[in-house]
C-alpha cells in the first residue's frame, strides 16, 4: 500500500516553488529596507510557552496544538505561531539590553495547527512575520502595518482591505470585560460549552466563537471602542493619523478581537477583497502585545508585529490572477555526440559552473535531436555542440538560441569566451 501525504500539508514542487522563492526574497528585501533582522527559533518549544503566551482559553491552545511528551517526559509543542517564541528568545537572550532599540526581528518558517483543512487552511503552513520589541511609539505600529501592505502591493495585489481595531490598555480592557460578563451572563445557557467556560475566564473569546457567531447577543455585545480610556483612545488616534500620512486606507471594525490572548491596543487584519477568494479572507494578522514579555518571565517590554502565511499570499495572487515573473532559463546546454565528446563535457560543465554560468548536459544517452529538445525545455540561451570531429580540431560550436547566430570557438578559450559573450 502506498503512503500518502498527511492531511492539511502540501508538497511544493518545482514549478510551484519559484513563486514561493519570489515572495520570500521580496519579504527579505523589504525587511532589509525597514531594518528588521532575521531570527530563527526552534520548530518546537515547551508547551507552557504557548499556554501562557497565546493563552489557555484560545482555540489554538485548547484544540489545535500538536503536543507530545518527549522521551524525557517533557511536554513539547510544535509551534503554532511565531510571536511567543520570538519574545521568549528576546527575554532569554537579554536582547532588551541591546544598544539598538527597538529590536526589530523577522522570521519565516513552518507553523503547525490541528485545524480542519480547507481552502487556505492547512495543518502545516509557512508564516512570514515581523516583531518590533521595545517601543511604545504608535509610529512603529504604522511601520509594521505598512511593511505588510507594501509587500502585498509590491507583488501585485490590489484588492486588499486593512481592518483595524484597538483593544485598549489593561484598564480599558477590564472595563470592557466587566461589560461583556454582564451582557452574556443572563443568557449564557444558550451558548456552547466553550463559551460557558470562557465567560468568567476570558469573555472576549466568546466574540471569537465560531459556533455561536449568529446568536443575537453577539450583535449587540458591548464594543471595546466604547470602553477605551483617554490614553488608549489617543494612542489609537495617533496610529490612524500615521496610517493616513502613509496613504494607507483602513476600516475600523470594533468587532475585530483576534484569536490570540496577548493583544492590546492596536489589532489589525489584512483581508483579500478579490472575487473568488475562498471563505477565509484573512491574509495577515497582527497587533500590539505589551504584556507578553512579562507573561513569560521577562521585563516589561512593549511589542508589535504581524504574521502572514505564504499559502494565503499565493491564493490571493491566484484569485487576482497576478502571475509573478518567474524566470526559467539556463545559460548553456552542452550537446555532445560520441563517447569521447560526452566524457569531455563532464569537465567542461564543471568549468562553466565554477564561473557562475548555469549549465546542463545530457545524462540519458539521448540522440542529438532529443538533446536539443531538452535544451529547449530548459530555455537555454546558448547551446554548445561538441562532436568527435570538433574535439579533434580543438573547437566547439556555440549557438545563440535567441539570435540563431552560430560560431566555432576554440575549446581552450571557450569558457572564458562564453562568459564574455554573456556580457
Ligand atoms: P494569526 O492570526 O493566528 O496570528 O495568524 C497569522 C496569519 O497566519 C493568518 O492571517 C494567516 O495568513 C496565517 N495562518 C494562520 N493559520 C493558518 C492556517 N491554518 N493555514 C494557513 N495559514 C494560516 C499569529 O499567528 C500571530 N503570531 C501574528 C502576530 C505576530 N501578532 C503579533 N505578531
Amino acid at each position: 500500500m502506498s503512503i500518502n501525504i498527511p492531511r492539511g500539508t502540501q508538497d511544493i514542487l518545482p514549478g510551484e516553488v519559484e513563486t514561493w522563492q519570489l515572495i520570500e526574497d521580496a519579504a527579505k528585501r523589504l525587511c532589509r529596507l525597514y531594518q528588521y533582522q532575521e531570527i530563527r527559533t526552534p520548530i518546537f518549544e515547551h508547551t507552557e510557552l504557548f499556554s501562557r503566551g497565546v493563552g489557555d482559553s484560545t482555540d489554538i491552545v485548547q484544540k489545535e496544538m500538536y503536543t507530545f511528551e518527549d522521551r524525557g517526559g517533557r511536554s513539547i509543542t510544535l509551534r503554532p505561531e511565531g510571536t511567543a517564541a520570538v519574545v521568549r528568545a528576546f527575554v532569554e537572550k537579554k536582547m532588551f539590553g541591546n544598544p539598538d532599540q527597538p529590536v526589530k526581528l523577522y522570521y519565516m518558517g513552518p507553523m503547525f495547527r490541528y485545524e480542519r483543512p480547507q481552502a487556505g487552511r492547512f495543518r502545516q503552513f509557512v508564516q512570514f512575520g515581523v516583531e518590533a520589541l521595545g517601543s511604545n511609539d504608535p509610529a512603529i505600529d504604522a511601520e509594521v502595518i505598512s511593511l505588510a501592505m507594501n509587500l502585498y502591493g509590491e507583488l501585485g495585489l490590489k484588492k486588499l482591505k486593512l481592518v483595524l481595531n484597538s483593544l485598549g490598555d489593561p484598564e480599558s480592557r477590564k472595563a470592557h470585560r466587566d461589560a461583556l460578563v454582564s451582557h452574556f451572563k443572563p443568557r449564557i445557557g444558550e451558548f456552547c460549552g466553550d463559551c460557558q467556560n470562557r465567560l468568567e475566564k476570558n469573555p472576549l473569546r466568546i466574540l471569537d466563537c465560531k459556533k455561536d457567531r449568529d446568536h443575537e447577543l453577539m450583535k449587540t455585545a458591548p464594543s471595546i471602542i466604547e470602553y477605551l480610556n483617554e490614553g488608549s483612545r489617543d494612542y489609537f488616534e495617533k496610529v490612524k493619523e500615521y496610517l493616513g500620512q502613509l496613504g494607507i486606507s483602513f476600516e475600523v471594525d470594533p468587532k475585530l478581537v483576534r484569536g490570540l490572548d496577548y493583544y492590546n491596543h492596536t489589532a489589525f487584519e489584512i483581508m483579500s477583497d478579490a472575487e473568488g477568494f475562498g471563505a477565509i479572507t484573512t491574509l495577515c494578522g497582527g497587533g500590539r502585545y505589551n504584556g507578553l514579555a512579562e507573561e513569560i518571565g521577562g521585563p516589561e517590554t512593549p511589542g508589535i508585529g504581524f504574521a502572514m502565511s505564504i499559502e494565503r499570499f499565493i491564493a490571493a495572487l491566484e484569485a487576482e490572477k497576478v502571475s509573478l515573473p518567474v524566470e526559467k532559463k539556463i545559460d548553456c546546454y552542452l550537446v555532445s555526440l560520441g563517447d569521447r565528446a560526452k566524457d569531455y563535457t563532464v569537465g567542461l560543465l564543471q568549468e562553466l559552473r565554477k564561473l557562475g554560468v548555469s549549465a546542463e548536459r545530457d545524462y540519458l544517452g539521448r540522440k542529438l535531436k532529443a538533446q536539443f529538445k531538452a535544451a529547449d525545455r530548459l530555455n537555454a540561451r546558448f547551446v554548445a555542440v561538441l562532436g568527435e570531429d570538433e574535439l579533434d580540431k580543438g573547437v566547439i560550436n556555440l549557438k545563440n538560441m535567441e539570435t540563431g547566430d552560430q560560431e566555432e570557438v576554440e575549446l581552450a578559450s571557450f569558457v572564458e569566451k562564453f562568459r564574455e559573450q554573456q556580457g
Side-chain angles (χ1 to χ4, degrees):
M1 205 176 70
S2 61
I3 298 171
N4 298 330
I5 193 169
R7 236 164 93 73
T9 67
Q10 36 172 10
D11 298 311
I12 299 144
L13 304 180
E16 300 163 347
V17 81
E18 293 78 6
T19 305
W20 285 71
Q21 290 165 343
L22 270 174
I23 295 174
E24 288 160 7
D25 290 350
K28 287 180 189 169
R29 205 171 48 243
L30 265 192
C31 282
R32 246 201 72 68
L33 292 181
Y34 280 73
Q35 283 296 292
Y36 286 74
Q37 289 177 308
E38 186 175 5
I39 181 166
R40 300 185 186 191
T41 62
I43 299 280
F44 59 83
E45 296 273 352
H46 292 296
T47 302
E48 200 189 346
L49 174 68
F50 303 114
S51 47
R52 271 211 264 157
V54 174
D56 262 337
S57 49
T58 58
D59 274 356
I60 294 182
V61 171
Q62 286 195 343
K63 302 177 189 163
E64 297 171 359
M65 295 206 302
Y66 281 89
T67 298
F68 59 96
E69 199 172 281
D70 73 5
R71 287 167 193 271
R74 300 170 200 92
S75 180
I76 293 293
T77 293
L78 300 186
R79 60 183 187 189
E81 60 104 49
T83 312
V86 169
V87 175
R88 182 213 29 83
F90 174 88
V91 169
E92 195 169 344
K93 299 292 157 16
K94 300 193 170 42
M95 291 164 88
F96 44 82
N98 286 5
D100 287 328
Q101 298 287 332
V103 174
K104 305 207 296 186
L105 303 166
Y106 82 87
Y107 51 90
M108 205 161 338
M111 307 291 161
F112 306 85
R113 295 185 194 176
Y114 192 81
E115 293 195 82
R116 207 155 49 82
Q118 62 185 98
R121 179 171 283 156
F122 297 89
R123 289 184 173 168
Q124 175 176 330
F125 54 96
V126 175
Q127 271 188 350
F128 159 62
V130 311
E131 312 293 349
L133 290 141
S135 167
N136 237 330
D137 184 337
I140 203 142
D141 301 42
E143 173 179 287
V144 159
I145 294 172
S146 82
L147 199 166
M149 293 296 282
N150 283 350
L151 179 58
Y152 289 129
E154 193 173 290
L155 292 183
L157 289 182
K158 294 200 171 67
K159 298 182 175 150
L160 299 172
K161 189 168 84 181
L162 169 65
V163 183
L164 204 62
N165 192 18
S166 169
L167 301 177
D169 66 0
E171 186 188 275
S172 315
R173 289 169 65 96
K174 174 149 192 334
H176 181 230
R177 195 200 120 94
D178 295 346
L180 284 173
V181 174
S182 323
H183 178 76
F184 286 113
K185 201 168 190 170
R187 291 174 64 186
I188 194 67
E190 297 166 27
F191 285 76
C192 72
D194 283 342
C195 285
Q196 297 186 10
N197 289 331
R198 286 163 175 159
L199 182 69
E200 297 297 339
K201 260 169 92 181
N202 192 352
L204 196 67
R205 286 271 77 86
I206 297 178
L207 301 179
D208 207 26
C209 179
K210 287 167 194 132
K211 279 191 214 141
D212 292 319
R213 87 178 130 206
D214 295 325
H215 193 288
E216 63 176 294
L217 284 192
M218 290 293 213
K219 294 180 194 88
T220 53
S223 129
I224 176 75
I225 296 278
E226 300 156 34
Y227 291 84
L228 292 182
N229 58 16
E230 203 184 333
S232 302
R233 254 199 323 268
D234 289 350
Y235 193 92
F236 194 35
E237 285 309 312
K238 214 63 196 158
V239 174
K240 291 192 280 185
E241 183 190 317
Y242 287 138
L243 286 173
Q245 203 175 319
L246 297 178
I248 299 175
S249 40
F250 56 85
E251 239 172 58
V252 174
D253 178 1
K255 294 217 152 39
L256 179 78
V257 293
R258 308 271 305 123
L260 305 92
D261 274 352
Y262 46 62
Y263 292 112
N264 39 62
H265 289 288
T266 316
F268 67 93
E269 288 187 356
I270 301 170
M271 339 276 280
S272 170
D273 248 354
E275 234 174 83
F277 198 75
I280 303 171
T281 55
T282 306
L283 300 179
C284 172
R288 189 161 268 287
Y289 45 83
N290 289 350
L292 182 56
E294 272 172 294
E295 187 65 49
I296 54 187
E300 193 184 327
T301 312
I304 173 144
F306 71 71
M308 60 171 72
S309 68
I310 312 291
E311 287 82 354
R312 289 194 196 166
F313 201 139
I314 291 174
L317 290 170
E318 284 167 3
E320 287 199 33
K321 300 195 173 49
V322 178
S323 54
L324 297 182
V326 174
E327 170 104 338
K328 195 176 166 264
K329 257 185 186 330
I330 67 163
D331 297 323
C332 185
Y333 192 94
L334 294 178
V335 167
S336 54
L337 280 163
D339 289 343
R340 273 197 306 127
K342 277 192 196 314
D343 291 348
Y344 193 87
T345 56
V346 173
L348 207 53
L349 195 65
Q350 167 91 330
E351 280 183 57
L352 285 170
R353 289 171 175 169
K354 269 193 174 158
L355 280 178
V357 174
S358 56
E360 188 54 295
R361 85 190 264 282
D362 171 62
Y363 288 107
L364 295 175
R366 282 181 284 211
K367 300 229 162 54
L368 188 70
K369 211 168 146 198
Q371 290 188 46
F372 266 100
K373 273 197 182 154
D376 247 12
R377 275 195 302 274
L378 292 175
N379 247 321
R381 297 173 51 221
F382 289 86
V383 174
V385 187
L386 187 68
E388 306 271 316
D389 287 352
E390 281 88 1
L391 196 56
D392 290 338
K393 275 172 41 192
V395 295
I396 187 166
N397 231 306
L398 185 62
K399 183 171 183 189
N400 182 329
M401 302 306 278
E402 277 153 20
T403 60
D405 294 349
Q406 282 196 53
E407 63 173 322
E408 213 172 65
V409 183
E410 295 282 323
L411 253 183
S413 59
F414 166 65
V415 173
E416 259 318 309
K417 170 119 187 159
F418 187 86
R419 210 165 58 152
E420 279 165 28
Q421 275 249 9
Q422 274 210 306

